PDB file of all heavy atoms in Angstrom:
ATOM      1  N   GLY A  19     202.885 183.008-124.177  1.00  0.00           N
ATOM      2  CA  GLY A  19     201.643 183.123-123.616  1.00  0.00           C
ATOM      3  C   GLY A  19     200.479 182.332-124.334  1.00  0.00           C
ATOM      4  O   GLY A  19     199.653 181.742-123.795  1.00  0.00           O
ATOM      5  N   ALA A  20     200.619 182.246-125.666  1.00  0.00           N
ATOM      6  CA  ALA A  20     199.624 181.494-126.524  1.00  0.00           C
ATOM      7  C   ALA A  20     199.869 180.106-126.209  1.00  0.00           C
ATOM      8  O   ALA A  20     198.858 179.284-126.133  1.00  0.00           O
ATOM      9  CB  ALA A  20     199.917 181.881-127.952  1.00  0.00           C
ATOM     10  N   LEU A  21     201.060 179.553-126.014  1.00  0.00           N
ATOM     11  CA  LEU A  21     201.270 178.181-125.738  1.00  0.00           C
ATOM     12  C   LEU A  21     200.703 177.916-124.391  1.00  0.00           C
ATOM     13  O   LEU A  21     200.154 176.791-124.147  1.00  0.00           O
ATOM     14  CB  LEU A  21     202.770 177.874-125.727  1.00  0.00           C
ATOM     15  CG  LEU A  21     203.454 177.628-127.033  1.00  0.00           C
ATOM     16  CD1 LEU A  21     204.930 177.533-126.854  1.00  0.00           C
ATOM     17  CD2 LEU A  21     202.839 176.207-127.596  1.00  0.00           C
ATOM     18  N   VAL A  22     200.911 178.813-123.314  1.00  0.00           N
ATOM     19  CA  VAL A  22     200.455 178.511-121.969  1.00  0.00           C
ATOM     20  C   VAL A  22     198.850 178.438-122.036  1.00  0.00           C
ATOM     21  O   VAL A  22     198.304 177.525-121.412  1.00  0.00           O
ATOM     22  CB  VAL A  22     200.883 179.509-121.010  1.00  0.00           C
ATOM     23  CG1 VAL A  22     200.205 179.339-119.708  1.00  0.00           C
ATOM     24  CG2 VAL A  22     202.369 179.318-120.848  1.00  0.00           C
ATOM     25  N   LEU A  23     198.247 179.333-122.770  1.00  0.00           N
ATOM     26  CA  LEU A  23     196.787 179.329-122.879  1.00  0.00           C
ATOM     27  C   LEU A  23     196.371 178.036-123.585  1.00  0.00           C
ATOM     28  O   LEU A  23     195.376 177.339-123.146  1.00  0.00           O
ATOM     29  CB  LEU A  23     196.361 180.566-123.658  1.00  0.00           C
ATOM     30  CG  LEU A  23     196.317 181.785-122.949  1.00  0.00           C
ATOM     31  CD1 LEU A  23     195.990 182.993-123.889  1.00  0.00           C
ATOM     32  CD2 LEU A  23     195.498 181.730-121.658  1.00  0.00           C
ATOM     33  N   ALA A  24     197.060 177.578-124.604  1.00  0.00           N
ATOM     34  CA  ALA A  24     196.727 176.287-125.288  1.00  0.00           C
ATOM     35  C   ALA A  24     196.866 175.133-124.264  1.00  0.00           C
ATOM     36  O   ALA A  24     196.014 174.218-124.284  1.00  0.00           O
ATOM     37  CB  ALA A  24     197.626 176.114-126.483  1.00  0.00           C
ATOM     38  N   LEU A  25     197.885 175.183-123.424  1.00  0.00           N
ATOM     39  CA  LEU A  25     198.130 174.078-122.526  1.00  0.00           C
ATOM     40  C   LEU A  25     196.944 173.999-121.513  1.00  0.00           C
ATOM     41  O   LEU A  25     196.376 172.926-121.110  1.00  0.00           O
ATOM     42  CB  LEU A  25     199.470 174.231-121.774  1.00  0.00           C
ATOM     43  CG  LEU A  25     199.727 173.073-120.834  1.00  0.00           C
ATOM     44  CD1 LEU A  25     199.913 171.732-121.557  1.00  0.00           C
ATOM     45  CD2 LEU A  25     201.003 173.507-120.114  1.00  0.00           C
ATOM     46  N   LYS A  26     196.577 175.244-121.024  1.00  0.00           N
ATOM     47  CA  LYS A  26     195.353 175.316-120.096  1.00  0.00           C
ATOM     48  C   LYS A  26     194.090 174.714-120.711  1.00  0.00           C
ATOM     49  O   LYS A  26     193.354 173.908-120.102  1.00  0.00           O
ATOM     50  CB  LYS A  26     195.078 176.743-119.696  1.00  0.00           C
ATOM     51  CG  LYS A  26     196.116 177.203-118.738  1.00  0.00           C
ATOM     52  CD  LYS A  26     195.670 178.728-118.231  1.00  0.00           C
ATOM     53  CE  LYS A  26     196.603 179.176-117.179  1.00  0.00           C
ATOM     54  NZ  LYS A  26     196.224 180.577-116.736  1.00  0.00           N
ATOM     55  N   ALA A  27     193.924 175.066-122.007  1.00  0.00           N
ATOM     56  CA  ALA A  27     192.637 174.427-122.795  1.00  0.00           C
ATOM     57  C   ALA A  27     192.830 172.921-122.852  1.00  0.00           C
ATOM     58  O   ALA A  27     191.886 172.278-122.731  1.00  0.00           O
ATOM     59  CB  ALA A  27     192.580 175.094-124.138  1.00  0.00           C
ATOM     60  N   ILE A  28     193.996 172.435-123.077  1.00  0.00           N
ATOM     61  CA  ILE A  28     194.167 171.053-123.219  1.00  0.00           C
ATOM     62  C   ILE A  28     193.984 170.404-121.867  1.00  0.00           C
ATOM     63  O   ILE A  28     193.335 169.257-121.745  1.00  0.00           O
ATOM     64  CB  ILE A  28     195.578 170.741-123.842  1.00  0.00           C
ATOM     65  CG1 ILE A  28     195.489 171.002-125.351  1.00  0.00           C
ATOM     66  CG2 ILE A  28     195.991 169.314-123.544  1.00  0.00           C
ATOM     67  CD1 ILE A  28     196.730 170.832-126.104  1.00  0.00           C
ATOM     68  N   HIS A  29     194.469 170.965-120.753  1.00  0.00           N
ATOM     69  CA  HIS A  29     194.193 170.398-119.471  1.00  0.00           C
ATOM     70  C   HIS A  29     192.740 170.342-119.116  1.00  0.00           C
ATOM     71  O   HIS A  29     192.356 169.441-118.379  1.00  0.00           O
ATOM     72  CB  HIS A  29     194.896 171.192-118.341  1.00  0.00           C
ATOM     73  CG  HIS A  29     196.360 170.951-118.370  1.00  0.00           C
ATOM     74  ND1 HIS A  29     196.891 169.679-117.947  1.00  0.00           N
ATOM     75  CD2 HIS A  29     197.508 171.723-118.649  1.00  0.00           C
ATOM     76  CE1 HIS A  29     198.298 169.788-117.972  1.00  0.00           C
ATOM     77  NE2 HIS A  29     198.591 170.913-118.459  1.00  0.00           N
ATOM     78  N   ALA A  30     191.857 171.166-119.739  1.00  0.00           N
ATOM     79  CA  ALA A  30     190.578 171.131-119.478  1.00  0.00           C
ATOM     80  C   ALA A  30     189.777 170.089-120.342  1.00  0.00           C
ATOM     81  O   ALA A  30     188.653 169.856-120.179  1.00  0.00           O
ATOM     82  CB  ALA A  30     189.974 172.544-119.734  1.00  0.00           C
ATOM     83  N   THR A  31     190.537 169.523-121.355  1.00  0.00           N
ATOM     84  CA  THR A  31     190.030 168.462-122.176  1.00  0.00           C
ATOM     85  C   THR A  31     190.541 167.087-121.766  1.00  0.00           C
ATOM     86  O   THR A  31     191.689 166.953-121.532  1.00  0.00           O
ATOM     87  CB  THR A  31     190.561 168.718-123.584  1.00  0.00           C
ATOM     88  OG1 THR A  31     190.222 170.112-124.063  1.00  0.00           O
ATOM     89  CG2 THR A  31     189.887 167.849-124.614  1.00  0.00           C
ATOM     90  N   GLU A  32     189.526 166.190-121.679  1.00  0.00           N
ATOM     91  CA  GLU A  32     189.980 164.888-121.202  1.00  0.00           C
ATOM     92  C   GLU A  32     190.756 164.106-122.176  1.00  0.00           C
ATOM     93  O   GLU A  32     190.557 164.108-123.260  1.00  0.00           O
ATOM     94  CB  GLU A  32     188.691 164.079-120.835  1.00  0.00           C
ATOM     95  CG  GLU A  32     188.697 163.442-119.528  1.00  0.00           C
ATOM     96  CD  GLU A  32     187.405 162.727-119.151  1.00  0.00           C
ATOM     97  OE1 GLU A  32     186.491 163.459-118.742  1.00  0.00           O
ATOM     98  OE2 GLU A  32     187.328 161.544-119.369  1.00  0.00           O
ATOM     99  N   ASN A  33     191.745 163.426-121.659  1.00  0.00           N
ATOM    100  CA  ASN A  33     192.622 162.518-122.425  1.00  0.00           C
ATOM    101  C   ASN A  33     193.359 163.145-123.658  1.00  0.00           C
ATOM    102  O   ASN A  33     193.523 162.468-124.705  1.00  0.00           O
ATOM    103  CB  ASN A  33     191.745 161.338-122.928  1.00  0.00           C
ATOM    104  CG  ASN A  33     191.273 160.521-121.752  1.00  0.00           C
ATOM    105  OD1 ASN A  33     191.937 160.296-120.706  1.00  0.00           O
ATOM    106  ND2 ASN A  33     189.991 160.136-121.864  1.00  0.00           N
ATOM    107  N   VAL A  34     193.771 164.409-123.581  1.00  0.00           N
ATOM    108  CA  VAL A  34     194.566 164.923-124.647  1.00  0.00           C
ATOM    109  C   VAL A  34     195.790 165.468-124.013  1.00  0.00           C
ATOM    110  O   VAL A  34     195.838 166.047-122.934  1.00  0.00           O
ATOM    111  CB  VAL A  34     193.882 166.167-125.375  1.00  0.00           C
ATOM    112  CG1 VAL A  34     194.734 166.761-126.301  1.00  0.00           C
ATOM    113  CG2 VAL A  34     192.435 165.676-125.981  1.00  0.00           C
ATOM    114  N   LYS A  35     196.968 165.200-124.722  1.00  0.00           N
ATOM    115  CA  LYS A  35     198.269 165.613-124.164  1.00  0.00           C
ATOM    116  C   LYS A  35     198.961 166.492-125.218  1.00  0.00           C
ATOM    117  O   LYS A  35     198.791 166.336-126.422  1.00  0.00           O
ATOM    118  CB  LYS A  35     199.152 164.405-123.890  1.00  0.00           C
ATOM    119  CG  LYS A  35     198.474 163.527-122.780  1.00  0.00           C
ATOM    120  CD  LYS A  35     199.559 162.651-122.082  1.00  0.00           C
ATOM    121  CE  LYS A  35     199.025 161.819-121.148  1.00  0.00           C
ATOM    122  NZ  LYS A  35     198.770 162.379-119.819  1.00  0.00           N
ATOM    123  N   LEU A  36     199.730 167.420-124.735  1.00  0.00           N
ATOM    124  CA  LEU A  36     200.502 168.396-125.568  1.00  0.00           C
ATOM    125  C   LEU A  36     201.935 168.111-125.350  1.00  0.00           C
ATOM    126  O   LEU A  36     202.434 168.216-124.174  1.00  0.00           O
ATOM    127  CB  LEU A  36     200.124 169.793-125.251  1.00  0.00           C
ATOM    128  CG  LEU A  36     200.905 170.871-125.997  1.00  0.00           C
ATOM    129  CD1 LEU A  36     200.338 170.946-127.478  1.00  0.00           C
ATOM    130  CD2 LEU A  36     200.555 172.271-125.391  1.00  0.00           C
ATOM    131  N   TYR A  37     202.761 168.025-126.405  1.00  0.00           N
ATOM    132  CA  TYR A  37     204.158 167.933-126.349  1.00  0.00           C
ATOM    133  C   TYR A  37     204.852 169.002-127.298  1.00  0.00           C
ATOM    134  O   TYR A  37     204.213 169.332-128.283  1.00  0.00           O
ATOM    135  CB  TYR A  37     204.621 166.533-126.703  1.00  0.00           C
ATOM    136  CG  TYR A  37     204.046 165.447-125.831  1.00  0.00           C
ATOM    137  CD1 TYR A  37     202.951 164.775-126.263  1.00  0.00           C
ATOM    138  CD2 TYR A  37     204.665 165.076-124.751  1.00  0.00           C
ATOM    139  CE1 TYR A  37     202.496 163.726-125.517  1.00  0.00           C
ATOM    140  CE2 TYR A  37     204.247 164.091-123.876  1.00  0.00           C
ATOM    141  CZ  TYR A  37     203.149 163.395-124.231  1.00  0.00           C
ATOM    142  OH  TYR A  37     202.578 162.465-123.496  1.00  0.00           O
ATOM    143  N   LEU A  38     206.046 169.272-127.042  1.00  0.00           N
ATOM    144  CA  LEU A  38     206.772 170.172-127.861  1.00  0.00           C
ATOM    145  C   LEU A  38     208.037 169.576-128.274  1.00  0.00           C
ATOM    146  O   LEU A  38     208.674 168.728-127.573  1.00  0.00           O
ATOM    147  CB  LEU A  38     207.142 171.557-127.103  1.00  0.00           C
ATOM    148  CG  LEU A  38     206.033 172.238-126.376  1.00  0.00           C
ATOM    149  CD1 LEU A  38     206.538 173.535-125.605  1.00  0.00           C
ATOM    150  CD2 LEU A  38     204.926 172.608-127.226  1.00  0.00           C
ATOM    151  N   CYS A  39     208.663 169.953-129.471  1.00  0.00           N
ATOM    152  CA  CYS A  39     209.932 169.466-129.863  1.00  0.00           C
ATOM    153  C   CYS A  39     210.538 170.513-130.819  1.00  0.00           C
ATOM    154  O   CYS A  39     210.068 171.393-131.262  1.00  0.00           O
ATOM    155  CB  CYS A  39     209.859 168.060-130.509  1.00  0.00           C
ATOM    156  SG  CYS A  39     209.160 168.079-132.256  1.00  0.00           S
ATOM    157  N   SER A  40     211.839 170.231-130.931  1.00  0.00           N
ATOM    158  CA  SER A  40     212.833 170.921-131.915  1.00  0.00           C
ATOM    159  C   SER A  40     212.848 172.459-131.684  1.00  0.00           C
ATOM    160  O   SER A  40     212.841 173.190-132.601  1.00  0.00           O
ATOM    161  CB  SER A  40     212.209 170.624-133.330  1.00  0.00           C
ATOM    162  OG  SER A  40     212.171 169.333-133.666  1.00  0.00           O
ATOM    163  N   LEU A  41     213.103 172.716-130.410  1.00  0.00           N
ATOM    164  CA  LEU A  41     213.333 174.169-130.080  1.00  0.00           C
ATOM    165  C   LEU A  41     214.842 174.513-130.425  1.00  0.00           C
ATOM    166  O   LEU A  41     215.792 173.843-129.966  1.00  0.00           O
ATOM    167  CB  LEU A  41     213.140 174.477-128.641  1.00  0.00           C
ATOM    168  CG  LEU A  41     211.696 174.316-128.182  1.00  0.00           C
ATOM    169  CD1 LEU A  41     211.700 174.321-126.544  1.00  0.00           C
ATOM    170  CD2 LEU A  41     210.805 175.471-128.694  1.00  0.00           C
ATOM    171  N   ASN A  42     215.018 175.661-131.175  1.00  0.00           N
ATOM    172  CA  ASN A  42     216.374 175.923-131.388  1.00  0.00           C
ATOM    173  C   ASN A  42     216.972 176.625-130.167  1.00  0.00           C
ATOM    174  O   ASN A  42     216.312 176.839-129.148  1.00  0.00           O
ATOM    175  CB  ASN A  42     216.433 176.970-132.665  1.00  0.00           C
ATOM    176  CG  ASN A  42     215.850 178.378-132.387  1.00  0.00           C
ATOM    177  OD1 ASN A  42     215.662 178.716-131.222  1.00  0.00           O
ATOM    178  ND2 ASN A  42     215.711 179.147-133.434  1.00  0.00           N
ATOM    179  N   GLU A  43     218.182 177.028-130.157  1.00  0.00           N
ATOM    180  CA  GLU A  43     218.845 177.642-128.964  1.00  0.00           C
ATOM    181  C   GLU A  43     218.198 178.829-128.428  1.00  0.00           C
ATOM    182  O   GLU A  43     217.974 178.960-127.244  1.00  0.00           O
ATOM    183  CB  GLU A  43     220.349 177.886-129.306  1.00  0.00           C
ATOM    184  CG  GLU A  43     221.156 178.219-128.081  1.00  0.00           C
ATOM    185  CD  GLU A  43     222.696 178.438-128.362  1.00  0.00           C
ATOM    186  OE1 GLU A  43     223.065 177.802-129.336  1.00  0.00           O
ATOM    187  OE2 GLU A  43     223.244 179.199-127.660  1.00  0.00           O
ATOM    188  N   GLN A  44     217.836 179.753-129.348  1.00  0.00           N
ATOM    189  CA  GLN A  44     217.151 181.038-128.750  1.00  0.00           C
ATOM    190  C   GLN A  44     215.777 180.687-128.154  1.00  0.00           C
ATOM    191  O   GLN A  44     215.546 181.168-127.089  1.00  0.00           O
ATOM    192  CB  GLN A  44     216.898 181.950-130.089  1.00  0.00           C
ATOM    193  CG  GLN A  44     216.287 183.296-129.659  1.00  0.00           C
ATOM    194  CD  GLN A  44     214.781 183.338-129.564  1.00  0.00           C
ATOM    195  OE1 GLN A  44     214.051 182.496-130.144  1.00  0.00           O
ATOM    196  NE2 GLN A  44     214.176 184.236-128.743  1.00  0.00           N
ATOM    197  N   CYS A  45     215.084 179.823-128.854  1.00  0.00           N
ATOM    198  CA  CYS A  45     213.798 179.505-128.205  1.00  0.00           C
ATOM    199  C   CYS A  45     213.879 178.767-126.989  1.00  0.00           C
ATOM    200  O   CYS A  45     213.151 178.977-125.929  1.00  0.00           O
ATOM    201  CB  CYS A  45     212.998 178.652-129.277  1.00  0.00           C
ATOM    202  SG  CYS A  45     212.528 179.457-130.747  1.00  0.00           S
ATOM    203  N   ARG A  46     214.828 177.774-126.888  1.00  0.00           N
ATOM    204  CA  ARG A  46     215.090 177.042-125.627  1.00  0.00           C
ATOM    205  C   ARG A  46     215.438 177.999-124.480  1.00  0.00           C
ATOM    206  O   ARG A  46     215.020 177.879-123.342  1.00  0.00           O
ATOM    207  CB  ARG A  46     216.178 176.021-125.827  1.00  0.00           C
ATOM    208  CG  ARG A  46     216.378 175.053-124.765  1.00  0.00           C
ATOM    209  CD  ARG A  46     217.450 174.002-124.919  1.00  0.00           C
ATOM    210  NE  ARG A  46     217.647 173.674-126.335  1.00  0.00           N
ATOM    211  CZ  ARG A  46     216.961 172.626-126.937  1.00  0.00           C
ATOM    212  NH1 ARG A  46     216.258 171.843-126.282  1.00  0.00           N
ATOM    213  NH2 ARG A  46     217.208 172.307-128.163  1.00  0.00           N
ATOM    214  N   MET A  47     216.274 179.003-124.815  1.00  0.00           N
ATOM    215  CA  MET A  47     216.680 179.967-123.757  1.00  0.00           C
ATOM    216  C   MET A  47     215.507 180.752-123.246  1.00  0.00           C
ATOM    217  O   MET A  47     215.472 181.025-122.040  1.00  0.00           O
ATOM    218  CB  MET A  47     217.734 180.971-124.415  1.00  0.00           C
ATOM    219  CG  MET A  47     218.453 181.850-123.357  1.00  0.00           C
ATOM    220  SD  MET A  47     219.557 183.002-124.020  1.00  0.00           S
ATOM    221  CE  MET A  47     220.493 181.968-125.151  1.00  0.00           C
ATOM    222  N   ILE A  48     214.654 181.125-124.086  1.00  0.00           N
ATOM    223  CA  ILE A  48     213.470 181.977-123.650  1.00  0.00           C
ATOM    224  C   ILE A  48     212.568 181.044-122.799  1.00  0.00           C
ATOM    225  O   ILE A  48     212.170 181.456-121.713  1.00  0.00           O
ATOM    226  CB  ILE A  48     212.669 182.361-124.886  1.00  0.00           C
ATOM    227  CG1 ILE A  48     213.304 183.421-125.665  1.00  0.00           C
ATOM    228  CG2 ILE A  48     211.196 182.910-124.357  1.00  0.00           C
ATOM    229  CD1 ILE A  48     213.593 184.689-124.925  1.00  0.00           C
ATOM    230  N   PHE A  49     212.383 179.768-123.090  1.00  0.00           N
ATOM    231  CA  PHE A  49     211.670 178.796-122.271  1.00  0.00           C
ATOM    232  C   PHE A  49     212.335 178.672-120.970  1.00  0.00           C
ATOM    233  O   PHE A  49     211.700 178.676-119.872  1.00  0.00           O
ATOM    234  CB  PHE A  49     211.581 177.482-123.035  1.00  0.00           C
ATOM    235  CG  PHE A  49     210.498 177.338-123.945  1.00  0.00           C
ATOM    236  CD1 PHE A  49     210.365 177.948-125.098  1.00  0.00           C
ATOM    237  CD2 PHE A  49     209.387 176.509-123.588  1.00  0.00           C
ATOM    238  CE1 PHE A  49     209.347 177.819-126.061  1.00  0.00           C
ATOM    239  CE2 PHE A  49     208.262 176.394-124.395  1.00  0.00           C
ATOM    240  CZ  PHE A  49     208.209 177.013-125.684  1.00  0.00           C
ATOM    241  N   GLU A  50     213.689 178.645-120.951  1.00  0.00           N
ATOM    242  CA  GLU A  50     214.408 178.403-119.611  1.00  0.00           C
ATOM    243  C   GLU A  50     214.294 179.620-118.805  1.00  0.00           C
ATOM    244  O   GLU A  50     214.184 179.526-117.618  1.00  0.00           O
ATOM    245  CB  GLU A  50     215.803 177.967-119.884  1.00  0.00           C
ATOM    246  CG  GLU A  50     215.859 176.484-120.447  1.00  0.00           C
ATOM    247  CD  GLU A  50     217.264 176.127-120.935  1.00  0.00           C
ATOM    248  OE1 GLU A  50     218.199 176.891-120.850  1.00  0.00           O
ATOM    249  OE2 GLU A  50     217.390 174.938-121.449  1.00  0.00           O
ATOM    250  N   LEU A  51     214.657 180.804-119.383  1.00  0.00           N
ATOM    251  CA  LEU A  51     214.500 182.025-118.681  1.00  0.00           C
ATOM    252  C   LEU A  51     213.297 182.378-117.983  1.00  0.00           C
ATOM    253  O   LEU A  51     213.166 182.942-116.920  1.00  0.00           O
ATOM    254  CB  LEU A  51     215.008 183.185-119.537  1.00  0.00           C
ATOM    255  CG  LEU A  51     216.426 183.246-119.920  1.00  0.00           C
ATOM    256  CD1 LEU A  51     216.704 184.390-121.052  1.00  0.00           C
ATOM    257  CD2 LEU A  51     217.365 183.564-118.810  1.00  0.00           C
ATOM    258  N   THR A  52     212.156 182.029-118.660  1.00  0.00           N
ATOM    259  CA  THR A  52     210.854 182.226-118.129  1.00  0.00           C
ATOM    260  C   THR A  52     210.337 181.057-117.269  1.00  0.00           C
ATOM    261  O   THR A  52     209.236 181.155-116.765  1.00  0.00           O
ATOM    262  CB  THR A  52     209.921 182.560-119.302  1.00  0.00           C
ATOM    263  OG1 THR A  52     209.820 181.422-120.222  1.00  0.00           O
ATOM    264  CG2 THR A  52     210.219 183.819-119.979  1.00  0.00           C
ATOM    265  N   ARG A  53     211.097 180.048-117.316  1.00  0.00           N
ATOM    266  CA  ARG A  53     210.800 178.747-116.589  1.00  0.00           C
ATOM    267  C   ARG A  53     209.539 178.112-117.095  1.00  0.00           C
ATOM    268  O   ARG A  53     208.946 177.221-116.494  1.00  0.00           O
ATOM    269  CB  ARG A  53     210.679 179.011-115.067  1.00  0.00           C
ATOM    270  CG  ARG A  53     211.995 179.387-114.441  1.00  0.00           C
ATOM    271  CD  ARG A  53     211.956 179.369-113.005  1.00  0.00           C
ATOM    272  NE  ARG A  53     213.244 179.539-112.475  1.00  0.00           N
ATOM    273  CZ  ARG A  53     213.599 180.536-111.668  1.00  0.00           C
ATOM    274  NH1 ARG A  53     212.652 181.308-111.172  1.00  0.00           N
ATOM    275  NH2 ARG A  53     214.759 180.720-111.118  1.00  0.00           N
ATOM    276  N   VAL A  54     209.091 178.457-118.386  1.00  0.00           N
ATOM    277  CA  VAL A  54     208.001 177.832-119.080  1.00  0.00           C
ATOM    278  C   VAL A  54     208.350 176.382-119.338  1.00  0.00           C
ATOM    279  O   VAL A  54     207.515 175.551-119.424  1.00  0.00           O
ATOM    280  CB  VAL A  54     207.543 178.591-120.212  1.00  0.00           C
ATOM    281  CG1 VAL A  54     206.512 177.945-121.034  1.00  0.00           C
ATOM    282  CG2 VAL A  54     207.065 179.974-119.772  1.00  0.00           C
ATOM    283  N   ASN A  55     209.601 176.072-119.489  1.00  0.00           N
ATOM    284  CA  ASN A  55     210.049 174.686-119.857  1.00  0.00           C
ATOM    285  C   ASN A  55     209.637 173.690-118.762  1.00  0.00           C
ATOM    286  O   ASN A  55     209.476 172.537-119.145  1.00  0.00           O
ATOM    287  CB  ASN A  55     211.602 174.690-120.018  1.00  0.00           C
ATOM    288  CG  ASN A  55     212.390 175.051-118.862  1.00  0.00           C
ATOM    289  OD1 ASN A  55     211.977 175.919-118.027  1.00  0.00           O
ATOM    290  ND2 ASN A  55     213.568 174.473-118.628  1.00  0.00           N
ATOM    291  N   SER A  56     209.377 174.146-117.568  1.00  0.00           N
ATOM    292  CA  SER A  56     208.950 173.275-116.490  1.00  0.00           C
ATOM    293  C   SER A  56     207.616 172.811-116.594  1.00  0.00           C
ATOM    294  O   SER A  56     207.203 171.800-115.948  1.00  0.00           O
ATOM    295  CB  SER A  56     209.277 173.881-115.156  1.00  0.00           C
ATOM    296  OG  SER A  56     208.342 175.019-114.949  1.00  0.00           O
ATOM    297  N   ILE A  57     206.743 173.426-117.457  1.00  0.00           N
ATOM    298  CA  ILE A  57     205.306 173.053-117.508  1.00  0.00           C
ATOM    299  C   ILE A  57     205.030 172.322-118.790  1.00  0.00           C
ATOM    300  O   ILE A  57     203.944 171.764-118.964  1.00  0.00           O
ATOM    301  CB  ILE A  57     204.345 174.278-117.420  1.00  0.00           C
ATOM    302  CG1 ILE A  57     204.541 175.223-118.500  1.00  0.00           C
ATOM    303  CG2 ILE A  57     204.479 174.880-116.002  1.00  0.00           C
ATOM    304  CD1 ILE A  57     203.440 176.280-118.577  1.00  0.00           C
ATOM    305  N   PHE A  58     206.042 172.217-119.629  1.00  0.00           N
ATOM    306  CA  PHE A  58     205.871 171.397-120.953  1.00  0.00           C
ATOM    307  C   PHE A  58     206.754 170.261-120.981  1.00  0.00           C
ATOM    308  O   PHE A  58     207.861 170.316-120.429  1.00  0.00           O
ATOM    309  CB  PHE A  58     206.122 172.341-122.115  1.00  0.00           C
ATOM    310  CG  PHE A  58     205.153 173.394-122.448  1.00  0.00           C
ATOM    311  CD1 PHE A  58     205.359 174.745-121.948  1.00  0.00           C
ATOM    312  CD2 PHE A  58     203.955 173.143-123.012  1.00  0.00           C
ATOM    313  CE1 PHE A  58     204.528 175.762-122.228  1.00  0.00           C
ATOM    314  CE2 PHE A  58     203.042 174.132-123.198  1.00  0.00           C
ATOM    315  CZ  PHE A  58     203.276 175.399-122.891  1.00  0.00           C
TER     316      PHE A  58
END
């Protein structure tokens, strides 16, 4: 939820992009199960 809120704030800011990297297996699974991986 904190990441999604951060992304919303960034979308409201001109010319700033947010990227993620180095998710371990557990973290990647949470992103996939919640489909949050599709917005990052």
Side-chain angles (χ1 to χ4, degrees):
L21 275 173
V22 171
L23 287 174
L25 183 63
K26 284 184 177 183
I28 284 173
H29 282 293
T31 306
E32 229 176 280
N33 298 320
V34 179
K35 297 199 182 281
L36 178 71
Y37 299 95
L38 311 179
C39 75
S40 303
L41 293 169
N42 72 12
E43 189 175 330
Q44 183 275 338
C45 297
R46 187 181 329 270
M47 189 181 314
I48 293 296
F49 273 72
E50 290 172 1
L51 287 172
T52 59
R53 295 195 172 123
V54 173
N55 62 323
S56 65
I57 63 171
F58 290 101

